[in-house]
Amino acid sequence: MRLAAEGAGLDVEIDSAGTAAYHVGSPPDDRAQASALRNGADISGLRGRQAVEGDFRRFTHIFALDGSNLADLRQLAPPDATAELGLLMDFVPGFEGRAVADPYYGDSAGFDVTWSEVSSAAKALVAKLRT
């Protein structure tokens, strides 16, 4: 998303957080880092964090990569949340309601599939934000 926003000249704040604390403080998976580098992004400085109540007021939109995490986000959202919640792939025509491929338990090629899906959604989201 950062690459798509920068390429379009958008000044937006982008962050990433999980709904569970599995990888808090850890860098992205080595396979994710390699896929990102192949696509022009260095994500090695990122660290995992868990979504917190403040995120639901700090950001205007929060996107989940699958239905399970969307349900978790809805449970985490405080009563005064202002962020709109949704699925990231809903921005890609023909992929509405679909989850982003989860590459974690597969080989490194799966991370390239995930990169492609997220990139398609990011481009669609940037196009929507520009209108």
Side-chain angles (χ1 to χ4, degrees):
M1 182 65 195
R2 287 176 184 89
L3 288 178
E6 288 172 12
L10 288 179
D11 183 22
V12 294
E13 184 178 2
I14 300 162
D15 199 358
S16 177
T19 57
Y22 300 126
H23 302 286
V24 170
S26 298
D29 185 289
D30 290 342
R31 298 166 295 173
Q33 290 186 53
S35 182
L37 275 176
R38 283 192 294 277
N39 287 282
D42 180 1
I43 62 171
S44 62
L46 299 178
R47 294 296 177 264
R49 72 176 189 86
Q50 189 172 8
V52 296
E53 284 190 6
D55 292 338
F56 295 88
R57 293 180 292 274
R58 178 178 169 202
F59 297 102
T60 58
H61 295 79
I62 297 176
F63 300 107
L65 301 188
D66 62 39
S68 176
N69 281 293
L70 181 57
D72 290 343
L73 286 167
R74 288 185 173 132
Q75 289 292 316
L76 289 169
D80 65 341
T82 54
E84 291 183 35
L85 304 179
L87 285 174
L88 183 62
M89 294 307 288
D90 283 350
F91 290 93
V92 181
F95 290 84
E96 299 88 356
R98 194 176 136 215
V100 171
D102 183 352
Y104 191 73
Y105 294 104
D107 62 18
S108 60
F111 284 82
D112 292 327
V113 171
T114 299
W115 181 273
S116 177
E117 290 179 356
V118 170
S119 293
S120 294
K123 289 174 189 171
L125 179 55
V126 163
K128 181 175 174 88
L129 292 172
R130 292 185 79 195
T131 58

